[in-house]
Amino acid sequence: MTTDLALIGHIGAKAVAAAALAGKIYVGSILVGTGLLAAIAPSVAQAFAADDLGLVRRSLGVGLWAALALSIPITLLTLHCESMFLVLGQSPDVARLAQQYLFGLVFGCAPALCFIAIRNYMGAVKRAEPAMWITIMAVPLNALLGYLLIYGKLGLPRQELFGAGLATTLVNYAVFLAGFWMLRNDRVVSFFWQFDWSLMRRLFVIGIPISITFLIEYGISCATAVLMGLISTKALAAHQIAFQVATILFVIPSGVSTAATVRVSYAIGRKDALGVKKAGLAAILLAFAIVAYVALGVIAARRQIAEFFLDGSADEANATVELAAQLLLVSVGSFVAAAVCSTASASLRGLEDTRMPILFACIANWGIGFSLSYMLAFKTSLGAAGVWIGSCVGMTVYATLLVLRFQLLTSRLTLRNQPFLSRNTDL
């Protein structure tokens, strides 16, 4: 998505704004599946620790079925988004361009979700490196295909935003096929046809609250994009650049989060109460430290980062670059808070505590964060910067609640010194 945005940015500010809207729908849809498929990691990790390889493979098979089932409604929704953008008050030209991008992206949902299932499985069985290399190789491939299709090189027709989406879809299929080939020695294919309803039920019981939490969290980013669109097209384009940087930084705690879920699950399987607490807190501190350090680099290079995404030769582009640099400065607090949120919630998933974070997300992100963003954006002179300030406050409150929840549950677990699943407690 970052390479897409870098290439789209040279088409114009309207194209960047359209990519912002389309990206919110596409990534949000993928996050619904990501939340559900996140339940694969603790299930596989516990079975792997118990040396139950049959259960390990069946868990992945169920995850692949769930990924395919989820891709159907996601595809249908994504095909009909232009009218929704218009209802939300977005510019007709921006709404039309956003739908073109989505037409290219939409049919890549199924392979993307299936690869997420494979990646979660491989991380849970301590084989995360192959998925990493596949993803790394996909980035330059996406950039090359995007360049050819967006600008119509090598005799290909110029497709602009549709070409960017189509390139990503083709890469998603290549990534999935590479991931499936990676499983050739795991005998997963034979287990794929042995559908396990009990495992599917457990996947949904654990995964649906995670998906709801992800939707609430991501809904804030969609709502803030709408606020930016109401301010101006320039504000929306600048916001998308800041948000894309946040997305890049978020992959750091996202990876640490998967490890946190797995290690907490391993400790639960070992009946190691102290190990549960150490695994979660170590992940939270590691993600915080890395993202805080990288955020300092973002502050120092904020203008250069903004110029990377936009052609600064036009006056309009120069104004957008200046605003994007300002938003990058005020958004770094959100980057760090999001890192803590990701790892703390992942540690709670290892405890199978997936319901309380829904309440926390509603209170912090919507009750506090969005309300404050709206007031600062439209009731003060802060404008676009006020949207990010409000989001930062809400995210900080959310992070604090999640860390306190993890501390409370693990302290109670240590005192009891026995296996603990939060769904069985009255907390």
Side-chain angles (χ1 to χ4, degrees):
M1 300 298 289
T2 304
T3 54
D4 281 357
L5 184 63
L7 293 168
I8 291 169
H10 293 276
I11 300 175
K14 282 187 178 180
V16 175
L21 290 177
K24 294 293 181 294
I25 297 296
Y26 178 76
V27 177
S29 299
I30 293 295
L31 276 178
V32 174
T34 301
L36 182 65
L37 298 174
I40 294 174
S43 177
V44 170
Q46 291 178 22
F48 185 74
D51 202 27
D52 188 347
L53 297 183
L55 180 57
V56 168
R57 293 161 181 158
R58 290 199 305 276
S59 297
L60 175 58
V62 166
L64 291 173
W65 276 112
L68 291 174
L70 281 169
S71 67
I72 297 173
I74 290 174
T75 300
L76 294 176
L77 169 67
T78 311
L79 288 171
H80 302 88
C81 286
E82 184 174 357
S83 58
M84 182 182 68
F85 293 144
L86 294 174
V87 169
L88 293 173
Q90 303 302 306
S91 162
D93 288 341
V94 172
R96 176 180 53 82
L97 291 173
Q99 185 63 74
Q100 289 181 10
Y101 189 27
L102 288 173
F103 282 150
L105 285 171
V106 61
F107 295 105
C109 288
L113 290 174
C114 287
F115 181 71
I116 289 170
I118 293 172
R119 188 181 63 194
N120 288 342
Y121 163 82
M122 296 300 287
V125 297
K126 300 183 180 180
R127 290 168 53 195
E129 292 88 350
M132 177 190 71
W133 289 114
I134 289 172
T135 308
I136 288 175
M137 289 185 290
V139 175
L141 177 61
N142 185 78
L144 175 61
L145 289 177
Y147 176 75
L148 296 177
L149 292 172
I150 291 171
Y151 302 119
K153 303 298 182 179
L154 298 182
L156 295 172
R158 183 182 175 93
Q159 298 292 334
E160 296 195 347
L161 269 76
F162 174 77
L166 179 60
T168 299
T169 291
L170 294 174
V171 171
N172 282 344
Y173 276 100
V175 164
F176 165 67
L177 292 175
F180 201 76
W181 177 82
M182 185 175 61
L183 301 175
R184 65 193 184 280
N185 296 325
D186 286 38
R187 296 175 55 201
V188 172
V189 176
S190 60
F191 284 88
F192 178 74
W193 302 110
Q194 300 176 18
F195 195 83
D196 191 321
W197 283 107
S198 63
L199 277 179
M200 180 64 78
R201 180 181 177 278
R202 186 184 181 210
L203 182 73
F204 275 84
V205 167
I206 300 174
I208 287 178
I210 302 174
S211 293
I212 294 173
T213 304
F214 280 6
L215 271 180
I216 293 170
E217 294 171 356
Y218 196 72
I220 286 295
S221 68
C222 296
T224 53
V226 171
L227 292 182
M228 292 293 188
L230 295 175
I231 294 172
S232 68
T233 299
K234 179 183 72 175
L236 181 57
H239 169 74
Q240 178 59 12
I241 293 171
F243 180 78
Q244 197 61 44
V245 172
T247 303
I248 295 170
L249 294 187
F250 188 73
V251 301
I252 299 171
S254 179
V256 177
S257 296
T258 301
T261 300
V262 171
R263 288 180 59 82
V264 169
S265 297
Y266 284 161
I268 288 289
R270 297 194 309 267
K271 302 181 180 181
D272 181 3
L274 185 58
V276 170
K277 189 169 188 176
K278 286 183 176 180
L281 292 180
I284 293 169
L285 291 173
L286 178 63
F288 172 85
I290 295 175
V291 175
Y293 180 76
V294 177
L296 294 176
V298 172
I299 294 174
R302 58 188 183 277
R303 182 174 178 85
Q304 290 80 1
I305 292 171
E307 290 174 342
F308 173 77
F309 287 103
L310 284 171
D311 183 357
S313 59
D315 292 338
E316 181 184 2
N318 274 327
T320 306
V321 167
E322 290 294 337
L323 181 57
Q326 179 188 2
L327 295 185
L328 285 170
L329 179 63
V330 300
S331 62
V332 291
S334 292
F335 302 164
V336 178
V340 175
C341 289
S342 176
T343 45
S345 60
S347 300
L348 289 172
R349 286 198 293 274
L351 292 166
E352 298 189 13
D353 182 59
T354 59
R355 297 177 184 175
M356 190 60 72
I358 297 176
L359 176 61
F360 293 163
C362 289
I363 294 172
N365 290 331
W366 285 100
I368 298 175
F370 183 73
S371 300
L372 187 59
S373 292
Y374 180 84
M375 288 189 293
L376 292 177
F378 296 103
K379 304 299 181 181
T380 72
S381 60
L382 290 172
V387 175
W388 272 100
I389 293 172
S391 296
C392 179
V393 173
M395 191 68 68
T396 302
V397 173
Y398 185 36
T400 302
L401 291 173
L402 289 172
V403 172
L404 291 176
R405 173 70 174 175
F406 182 75
Q407 286 274 47
L408 176 64
L409 295 185
T410 52
S411 296
R412 182 69 61 86
L413 174 59
T414 303
L415 289 174
R416 291 178 179 176
N417 194 28
Q418 63 183 19
F420 173 78
L421 292 179
S422 59
R423 64 179 181 227
N424 294 327
T425 183
D426 56 356
L427 290 177

